[in-house]
Amino acid sequence: MRLGLSSAAFYGRLETEDAAEKLRDFPVACCEIFLETWSEYSSDFGKTVRERLRFLPCRSIHAKGLQFEGDLFGASEKQRRDAFRLLENVLDCGAALGAGVWVFHGPPDVRSGLAPNRIRGLSDTLGRVCRMAGERGMVMAWENVSWCALKSPEDAKYLMEACPALAFTLDIKQAKLTGVDPFAFLPVLGSRLAHVHVLDWDEGGRLCLPGQGSFDFPRFFQALADMGYQGDIILEPYAAQAEDEAALAQSLIFLRSLLP
């Protein structure tokens, strides 16, 4: 397992290419690049960001999913066509960055109770998307998100049956926001867990940097090691938790000290 930091930490403060350069200032072995807007969805932009990263490997990309991810399953043929065109550009950017994982939020749960079994054309669409990612040396890793379709281990089970090629991202803060124990995902995802996002929370449930909260990271990392997890651990704070760069660096040192 390698420890990395997401450029999302600097969302709203730095443009993506500048955030990529900033990532090199922190004690990490890899990174995730959060693509923020349509103009960044291209192989040319991926090459630009890779140059700014220099020798820091980009392990994953994460697009602003609300712009197109739900429309991959849209009722309109035009919606689907445009969404797939955007996705192709996103994946081309990821390939140029050398990323191996594309983190996918999925359709937003704009109406209460959007479960995977209610998503139009699920299996066919997922199969097509996974093939597109695979052609570029990437896996599609659907992430549990409190405001999207995948919220629980039961949702993950359904998606695994719908698409055998699908991988997953476990976000422990999103599990917490949904009221699900992050550990409950591990036996379900098993070898199909490709990526992990971490943050922490205090006794009052407020999000904070790892080392400032109450989550049992030693137990979590050991559980990952015991199940043979070979992916990366990406610290993905919101801007509010990343304002103090010294504290952010200290949190990364804390996490690094706990990795098996």
Side-chain angles (χ1 to χ4, degrees), residues 171-240:
D171 188 317
I172 66 170
K173 71 176 179 299
Q174 290 292 340
K176 171 66 175 177
L177 292 171
T178 311
V180 177
D181 182 356
F183 286 90
F185 278 96
L186 298 182
V188 173
L189 300 181
S191 62
R192 289 169 73 170
L193 177 62
H195 204 53
V196 173
H197 285 161
V198 298
L199 198 57
D200 206 346
W201 49 89
D202 63 21
E203 294 294 343
R206 292 180 295 269
L207 294 177
C208 59
L209 290 171
Q212 299 176 356
S214 58
F215 185 69
D216 191 345
F217 281 103
R219 178 188 166 214
F220 182 64
F221 290 159
Q222 189 58 55
L224 290 174
D226 290 345
M227 62 187 278
Y229 177 67
Q230 300 280 316
D232 303 294
I233 306 294
I234 301 294
L235 174 58
E236 189 193 43
Y238 296 119

Side-chain angles (χ1 to χ4, degrees), residues 8-260:
F10 309 106
Y11 179 73
R13 291 171 50 201
L14 296 173
E15 298 292 356
T16 303
E17 60 270 37
D18 297 324
E21 191 166 322
K22 170 66 74 173
L23 289 169
R24 304 196 327 251
D25 295 339
F26 292 89
V28 292
C30 61
C31 71
E32 175 177 275
I33 294 297
F34 173 57
L35 302 171
E36 299 180 6
T37 189
W38 287 279
S39 63
E40 297 181 350
Y41 302 163
S42 72
S43 58
D44 284 345
F45 185 75
K47 292 173 185 175
T48 295
V49 173
R50 189 167 188 171
E51 289 173 359
R52 300 288 286 272
L53 287 170
R54 293 189 186 173
F55 301 108
L56 182 64
C58 173
R59 295 292 300 141
S60 58
I61 59 165
H62 200 324
K64 198 170 184 181
L66 284 173
Q67 293 174 334
F68 69 94
E69 289 183 358
D71 285 344
L72 292 168
F73 308 92
S76 161
E77 183 179 348
K78 286 183 180 179
Q79 284 180 335
R80 297 192 300 273
R81 184 175 65 237
D82 289 348
F84 271 97
R85 187 177 296 121
L86 277 173
L87 172 59
E88 186 172 20
N89 294 337
V90 167
L91 295 175
D92 285 345
C93 181
L97 274 162
V101 175
W102 164 47
V103 179
F104 178 76
H105 273 169
D109 188 2
V110 293
R111 293 180 296 276
S112 179
L114 176 62
N117 63 2
R118 295 179 55 208
I119 298 174
R120 176 190 298 268
L122 182 66
S123 294
D124 289 344
T125 298
L126 287 181
R128 179 181 175 186
V129 171
C130 285
R131 286 192 297 273
M132 289 174 65
E135 289 166 358
R136 294 161 175 82
M138 306 172 71
V139 296
M140 174 189 186
W142 197 321
E143 182 177 32
N144 62 298
V145 180
S146 60
W147 46 271
C148 291
L150 170 52
K151 301 181 183 67
S152 70
E154 290 70 30
D155 294 333
K157 288 178 184 177
Y158 187 89
L159 291 168
M160 293 169 80
E161 293 172 359
C163 183
L166 184 64
F168 293 88
T169 296
L170 173 59
D171 188 317
I172 66 170
K173 71 176 179 299
Q174 290 292 340
K176 171 66 175 177
L177 292 171
T178 311
V180 177
D181 182 356
F183 286 90
F185 278 96
L186 298 182
V188 173
L189 300 181
S191 62
R192 289 169 73 170
L193 177 62
H195 204 53
V196 173
H197 285 161
V198 298
L199 198 57
D200 206 346
W201 49 89
D202 63 21
E203 294 294 343
R206 292 180 295 269
L207 294 177
C208 59
L209 290 171
Q212 299 176 356
S214 58
F215 185 69
D216 191 345
F217 281 103
R219 178 188 166 214
F220 182 64
F221 290 159
Q222 189 58 55
L224 290 174
D226 290 345
M227 62 187 278
Y229 177 67
Q230 300 280 316
D232 303 294
I233 306 294
I234 301 294
L235 174 58
E236 189 193 43
Y238 296 119
Q241 290 92 47
E243 288 180 353
D244 185 337
E245 293 185 7
L248 181 59
Q250 190 58 45
S251 180
L252 288 160
I253 292 170
F254 166 77
L255 288 172
R256 191 174 60 185
S257 72
L258 298 177
L259 288 176

